[in-house]
């Protein structure tokens, strides 16, 4: 029984007599002493856990190390802490909750890949899950019970049916055509290369998910979805500012959103799962369209009775396609352009290989992969050099207590892979900030041992690896190969004719990072190549014509036009 309920059951004169007998001061003192004892006991437990867990900075009572975090790019800070303590794992306390940061490729491989069965779950996530996309979304799903694991397998199976390794090979034709359109558009408006990449990436996943392409870089589906992805990435950077501070002090999340500006609108009725209505409606619209029988939305509605899918699951699975394939893929291509501009010496060997294998009468195709080892290495270095998901996505959480090198990692602890530190460890990648495709060339003196066959950890680990990995790798290889084959990426010139420099460290602060805007000159390498790009681009547009169409829904206006749906998923 709560104290206030106890007082309600007592006659008023007893309460008044008790207060007068013991005095308000004594009561307050008792409360303060009790609180102080509670803090001391709790802090003692924190220090006891700290003595058994991986090393890290000394936490303060209640707040832990929260206020030691920098405001920007905390992954760099965690990399420095790992070097300071000379350890692959560090423990950093966000409030009373410890987070274990893995800053080493071999440790990440041992824990998150080899022990995937233990690190298969997610922790409770207040901001990104409960107030955002939902804890039952495949990306955020906790899998500590058999029922949760069964549901996870269902959603994972359905996602694999959309973008699994074998499935994405079926998408090569239209993915190739959309890539050709990128090159075609860059002939006329090369300065809009970011918009072209966003259109390409969004169009591919839109064809997969909803059976319609995105033809215009100003299509609202691009601007709305990319903006939502950027906002989610920005709001969920581990840090000492709101809204992530609610992870330290969960009670702050209970304040009504309307009077809590620190919640940034999270958790409001109808907004806590804002995308759910929208993506469900897009999927339903696609399902009712008589064309494109093999689009993912139709698969979800077909399988819904078999797996007892509810509308929120259909919405989340359809919406996750955009999360896994639009912002991330376009950001990777922007990084590729930055690398080409900042390290022009890497293009010489690439051009030699492409001219020898492909020539100028056609652009590269998927069938050229085995004959283009340097281009394959070039793309691997793009993934390694500046990975988009810089901390490997959402945190893992062990389903039981685990140990690594004698250190305890308690059950349900936040465990985060620091891809920034992993990909910049000089043991595996000497001169890590130098873009050097030779690192991935067989028998190259620059090659170093690295766990796994890919040589990078861009897409996460274990059972929580990014569902869209195969699609992203397939499309990135082809589009980067085509860009290198087709264009010279050179310095842009200012008003006085001087080259405009670029900064290879000037990236956004979100969890899915991308370069800040920069200017470059993009021109076709030769007239013969320009003519090939024109010819192939026009043919690609003709081949893509069956996917033309437009949805009548806009995320920016959907909830104003459909207020009855405001309570969806809440």
């Amino acid at each position: 029984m709560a104290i206030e309920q106890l007082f309600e059951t007592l006659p008023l004169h007893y309460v008044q007599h008790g207060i007068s007998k013991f005095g308000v001061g004594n009561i307050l003192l008792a409360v303060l002493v009790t609180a102080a004892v509670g803090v001391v006991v709790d802090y003692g437990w924190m220090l006891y856990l700290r003595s058994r867990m991986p090393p890290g900075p000394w936490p303060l009572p209640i707040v832990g190390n929260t206020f030691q975090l920098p405001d920007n790019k905390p992954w760099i800070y965690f990399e420095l802490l790992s070097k300071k303590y000379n350890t692959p794992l560090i423990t950093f306390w966000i409030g009373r909750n410890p987070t274990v940061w893995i800053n080493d490729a071999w440790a990440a491989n041992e824990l998150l890949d080899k022990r995937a069965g233990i690190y298969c779950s997610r922790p409770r996530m207040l901001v990104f899950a409960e107030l955002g996309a939902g804890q039952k979304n495949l990306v955020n799903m906790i899998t500590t019970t058999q029922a949760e694991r069964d549901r996870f397998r269902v959603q994972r199976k359905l996602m694999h049916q959309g973008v699994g390794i074998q499935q994405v090979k079926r998408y090569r034709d239209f993915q190739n055509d959309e890539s050709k359109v990128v090159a075609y558009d860059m002939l006329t408006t090369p300065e809009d290369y970011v918009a072209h990449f966003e259109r390409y990436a969004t169009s591919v996943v839109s064809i997969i998910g909803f059976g319609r392409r995105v033809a215009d870089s100003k299509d609202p589906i691009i601007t709305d979805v990319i903006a939502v992805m950027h906002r989610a990435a920005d709001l969920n950077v581990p840090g000492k500012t709101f809204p992530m501070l609610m992870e330290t002090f969960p009670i702050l999340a209970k304040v009504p959103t309307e009077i809590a500006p620190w919640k940034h609108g999270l958790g409001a009725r109808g907004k806590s799962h804002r995308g759910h209505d929208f993506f469900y409606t897009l999927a339903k619209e696609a399902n009712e369209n008589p064309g494109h029988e093999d689009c993912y939305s139709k698969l979800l509605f077909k399988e819904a009775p078999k797996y007892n899918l509810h509308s929120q699951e259909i919405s989340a699975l359809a919406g996750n396609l955009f999360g896994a394939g639009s912002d991330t893929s376009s950001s990777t291509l922007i990084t590729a352009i930055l690398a080409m501009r900042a390290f022009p010496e890497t293009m010489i060997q690439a051009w030699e290989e492409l001219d020898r294998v492909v020539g100028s009468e056609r652009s590269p195709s998927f069938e050229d992969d085995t004959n283009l080892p340097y281009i394959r290495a070039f793309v691997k270095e793009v993934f390694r050099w500046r990975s988009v998901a810089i901390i490997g996505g959402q945190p893992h959480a062990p389903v039981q207590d685990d140990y690594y090198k004698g250190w305890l990692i308690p059950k349900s602890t936040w465990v985060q892979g620091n891809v920034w530190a992993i990909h910049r460890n000089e043991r595996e990648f000497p001169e890590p900030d130098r873009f050097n495709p030779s690192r991935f060339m067989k028998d190259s003196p620059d090659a170093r041992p690295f766990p796994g066959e890919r040589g990078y950890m861009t897409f996460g680990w274990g059972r929580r690896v990014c569902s869209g990995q195969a699609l992203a790798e397939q499309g990135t290889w082809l589009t980067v190969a085509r860009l290198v084959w087709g264009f010279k990426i050179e310095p842009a010139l200012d008003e006085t004719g001087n080259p405009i420099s670029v900064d290879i460290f000037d990236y956004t602060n979100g969890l899915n990072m991308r370069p800040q805007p920069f200017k470059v000159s993009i021109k076709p390498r030769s007239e013969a190549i320009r003519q090939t790009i024109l010819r192939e681009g026009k043919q690609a547009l003709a081949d893509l014509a069956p996917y033309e169409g437009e949805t009548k829904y806009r995320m920016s206006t959907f909830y104003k036009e459909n207020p009855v749906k405001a309570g969806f998923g809440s």
Side-chain angles (χ1 to χ4, degrees), residues 60 254 259 320 389 408 475 478 506:
L60 296 174
K254 296 185 179 297
I259 59 172
N320 285 347
L408 169 68
L478 182 67
D506 191 16

Side-chain angles (χ1 to χ4, degrees), residues 451-463:
E453 61 182 23
R454 283 182 166 83
Y456 52 81
M457 293 181 168
T458 305
F459 295 93
W461 304 269
R463 299 176 188 177

Side-chain angles (χ1 to χ4, degrees), residues 6 37 47 63 190 195 213 218 255 319 324 331 417 425 473 484 493 520:
L6 178 62
V37 170
L47 296 182
V63 299
R213 72 182 297 256
K218 294 182 176 60
V255 179
S331 296
N425 192 318
E473 289 176 328
V484 175
L493 303 179
V520 291

Side-chain angles (χ1 to χ4, degrees), residues 286-348:
N287 184 57
E288 294 170 352
N289 190 316
H292 307 298
E293 291 301 322
D294 58 348
C295 81
Y296 187 55
S297 292
K298 292 191 175 184
L299 170 70
L300 291 178
F301 277 93
K302 177 184 176 182
E303 297 294 307
K306 177 181 177 180
Y307 294 108
N308 194 27
L309 292 179
H310 55 73
S311 56
Q312 187 173 327
E313 288 179 301
I314 292 174
S315 178
L317 286 166
N320 285 347
L321 282 177
F322 283 103
S326 57
D327 180 35
T328 51
S329 293
S330 58
S331 296
T332 300
L333 294 174
I334 300 169
T335 281
I337 293 293
L338 179 62
M340 295 178 208
R341 162 64 182 86
F343 299 90
E345 68 277 5
T346 63
M347 304 289 280
I348 297 172

Side-chain angles (χ1 to χ4, degrees), residues 38-55:
V39 170
V40 170
V41 171
D42 183 70
Y43 189 46
W45 175 248
M46 287 174 62
L47 296 182
Y48 170 71
L49 272 184
R50 180 183 183 273
S51 70
R52 302 180 63 196
M53 294 183 68

Side-chain angles (χ1 to χ4, degrees), residues 231-251:
R231 177 171 171 78
D234 290 343
L235 290 179
N236 286 281
V237 176
K240 61 188 178 186
T241 56
F242 290 110
M244 282 299 288
L245 203 56
M246 288 189 288
E247 299 288 0
T248 301
F249 305 108
I251 193 172

